[in-house]
């Protein structure tokens, strides 16, 4: 028997990407993002400008998502939106828009935790890969978060390791800025690293107890090193760019891979699923693929379009909650510091 359609509109506006997606059950029909170029000239996200850009972008991106999915807004069964964590002004735009649309169409509204969504992106239909089996180790690595979790079921996730200071993506971006690279620098550092020597320069790996991590010491040591070398050779960065990228990437990725290995050993859970923008990094992908080959791990790496911030991941959580009728009312408020 043919399944009745269940169309969920996902809305994501937690940082600087305005995104909308339409899912039918767990299948993505459209996944649209409007990036905010305006931040590039500032070397990081400017919250006030992000909120203003969301206000401009949100209606066109939703229209585009509906058109690409080839459905009308009247076909929607529910709207899922990012409640938090994120920049408050940015979150408020998604919240107000979603409430208004849900009220106008008289359909349920669903709250989504952005960090849970990065983990649950693995449950989007993928013809070539089955979703991870519970329990698994979830690893969220992005510009705002570095988290290691035990995921017991869709909505029960336990934080077992977290960065005590900067997030890994933030460290990539700040080191990139120091080298004069555009924001966000992670993808460019990754690209230039391929032509460099990862062992040329050494930066300290912090000693942090348990499964927690730290990135600020390594970032500061990188910056101080650059300043020192520039004193004697003003062309130091240009002369050594590929090796600098390769060495800092290897250190930043080494910090998280060490802790992922420790998490697997400690919990004896060998299924690892990564998410967040930094999961696009080629070195962490290589590390996980080797672990699958040589150590019997089962690894789950999202497609690039579901690893950086996107609304399809908000839509899948919406669908999973819709099945349990886990709806919210119009008192739903944004929460910039929402925990997992
Ligand atoms: O998840 P995301 O799109 O947004 C946040 O919620 O932060 O992650 C963005 C972060 C940025 O810091 C960016 O530099 C980093 O992901 N990133 C990468 C790569 N692609 C994106 N970092 C390292 N290597 C990459 N290939
Ligand atoms: Zn994110």
């Amino acid at each position: 028997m043919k399944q009745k359609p269940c169309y969920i509109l996902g809305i994501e506006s937690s940082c600087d990407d305005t995104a909308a997606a339409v899912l039918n059950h767990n299948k993505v029909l459209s996944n649209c993002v409007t990036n905010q170029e305006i931040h590039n000239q500032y070397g990081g996200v400017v919250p006030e400008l992000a909120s203003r850009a969301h206000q401009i972008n949100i209606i066109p991106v939703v229209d585009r998502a509906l058109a690409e999915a080839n459905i009308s807004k009247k076909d929607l069964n529910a709207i899922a939106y990012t409640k938090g964590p994120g920049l408050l002004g940015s979150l408020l735009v998604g919240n107000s828009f979603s409430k208004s649309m849900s009220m106008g169409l008289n359909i349920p509204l669903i709250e989504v935790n952005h960090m849970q969504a990065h983990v649950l992106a693995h449950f989007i239909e993928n013809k070539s890969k089955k979703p991870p089996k519970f329990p698994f180790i979830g690893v969220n690595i992005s510009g705002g978060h570095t988290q290691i979790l035990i995921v017991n079921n869709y909505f029960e996730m336990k934080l077992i390791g977290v960065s005590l200071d900067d997030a890994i993506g933030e460290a990539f971006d700040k080191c990139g800025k120091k080298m004069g690279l555009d924001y966000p620098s992670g993808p460019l550092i990754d690209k230039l690293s391929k032509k460099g020597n990862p062992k040329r320069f050494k930066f300290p790996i912090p000693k942090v107890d348990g499964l927690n991590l730290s990135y600020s010491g390594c970032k500061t040591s990188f910056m101080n090193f650059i300043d020192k070398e520039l004193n004697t050779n003003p062309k130091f960065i240009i002369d050594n760019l590929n090796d600098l990228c390769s060495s800092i990437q290897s250190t930043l990725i080494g910090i998280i891979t060490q802790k992922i290995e420790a998490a697997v050993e400690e919990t004896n859970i060998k299924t690892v699923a990564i998410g967040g923008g930094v999961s696009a990094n080629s070195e962490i992908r290589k590390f996980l693929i080797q672990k699958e080959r040589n150590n019997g791990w089962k690894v789950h790496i999202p497609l690039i379009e579901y690893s950086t911030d996107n609304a399809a991941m908000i839509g899948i959580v919406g669908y999973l909650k819709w099945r349990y009728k886990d709806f919210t009312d119009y008192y739903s408020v944004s929460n910039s510091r929402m925990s997992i």
Side-chain angles (χ1 to χ4, degrees):
M1 202 176 69
K2 205 162 172 256
Q3 203 179 23
K4 232 172 103 184
C6 168
Y7 295 117
I8 308 282
L9 174 68
I11 305 274
E12 157 61 25
S13 72
S14 65
C15 190
D16 61 334
D17 294 313
T18 322
V22 176
L23 275 74
N24 181 10
H25 296 264
N26 64 343
K27 186 179 173 177
V28 175
L29 302 183
S30 63
N31 186 28
C32 302
V33 187
T34 304
N35 304 112
Q36 301 181 358
E37 307 290 331
I38 188 148
H39 307 286
N40 297 2
Q41 59 191 287
Y42 298 97
V45 177
V46 183
E48 168 84 19
L49 296 179
S51 329
R52 288 169 189 239
H54 282 307
Q55 283 200 314
I56 295 167
N57 297 339
I58 196 146
I59 293 179
V61 87
V62 169
D63 273 345
R64 191 147 56 91
L66 289 167
E68 282 184 24
N70 204 16
I71 64 159
S72 140
K73 57 182 182 295
K74 296 210 168 74
D75 297 322
L76 290 170
N77 294 80
I79 298 179
Y81 86 97
T82 304
K83 177 182 168 78
L87 302 171
L88 189 63
S90 291
L91 291 167
L92 288 174
V93 178
N95 168 300
S96 305
F97 176 86
S98 304
K99 274 185 194 168
S100 314
M101 193 160 173
S102 133
M103 199 180 247
L105 295 170
N106 196 21
I107 54 174
L109 180 67
I110 299 169
E111 294 177 334
V112 175
N113 180 317
H114 179 92
M115 302 317 297
Q116 282 192 351
H118 272 301
V119 175
L120 297 174
H122 293 280
F123 293 87
I124 291 171
E125 184 187 81
N126 178 349
K127 292 254 155 41
S128 55
K129 180 109 185 163
K130 289 208 167 98
K133 288 209 171 103
F134 299 116
F136 62 88
I137 302 288
V139 180
N140 276 335
I141 39 179
S142 70
H145 291 90
T146 312
Q147 302 177 325
I148 304 178
L149 312 147
I150 298 180
V151 184
N152 286 314
N153 60 49
Y154 294 131
F155 303 112
E156 197 197 309
M157 303 184 189
K158 186 175 165 221
L159 193 62
I160 53 171
V162 66
S163 174
L164 303 175
D165 39 58
D166 293 355
I168 181 169
E170 191 182 350
F172 264 100
D173 295 337
K174 287 188 175 154
C175 292
K177 190 175 180 185
K178 189 75 186 171
M179 293 186 282
L181 303 179
D182 282 347
Y183 172 85
S185 315
L188 200 52
I189 293 180
D190 192 7
K191 190 169 160 214
L192 297 173
S193 290
K194 298 201 168 80
K195 292 182 256 165
N197 173 1
K199 298 207 165 84
R200 171 89 186 283
F201 304 111
K202 286 255 168 299
F203 303 106
I205 300 259
K207 289 197 170 43
V208 184
D209 286 345
L211 298 174
N212 288 335
L213 316 94
S214 162
Y215 277 102
S216 87
C218 170
K219 173 201 72 187
T220 307
S221 128
F222 179 81
M223 292 187 167
N224 292 342
F225 171 73
I226 298 265
D227 285 338
K228 194 172 119 249
E229 295 297 326
L230 283 176
N231 279 333
T232 49
N233 173 11
K235 282 175 64 225
F236 178 74
I237 296 175
I238 308 269
D239 290 348
N240 298 285
L241 189 59
N242 294 340
D243 288 345
L244 280 169
C245 287
S246 193
S247 302
I248 191 63
Q249 170 166 293
S250 145
T251 313
L252 298 175
I253 295 295
I255 294 172
I256 183 79
T257 53
Q258 226 181 46
K259 295 291 180 164
I260 298 174
E261 274 184 306
V264 168
E265 197 163 309
E266 211 168 275
T267 59
N268 207 22
I269 298 171
K270 285 190 161 188
T271 303
V272 177
I274 59 168
V278 184
S279 64
N281 182 270
S282 59
E283 197 169 316
I284 195 157
R285 288 178 172 231
K286 198 159 82 192
F287 161 84
L288 290 170
I289 291 163
Q290 272 171 2
K291 283 288 174 192
E292 185 157 74
R293 256 186 223 138
N294 304 334
N295 299 70
W297 291 18
K298 292 224 171 339
V299 305
H300 295 263
I301 303 169
L303 298 175
I304 300 277
E305 59 265 39
Y306 305 142
S307 59
T308 51
D309 283 351
N310 67 89
M313 69 181 193
I314 306 302
I316 189 70
V317 182
Y319 171 62
L320 295 169
K321 287 194 167 186
W322 182 85
R323 297 195 309 183
Y324 296 99
K325 294 207 171 3
D326 186 357
F327 307 142
T328 185
D329 56 27
Y330 294 127
Y331 292 101
S332 172
V333 287
S334 305
N335 181 350
S336 62
R337 303 177 72 83
M338 193 174 187
S339 55
I340 198 120

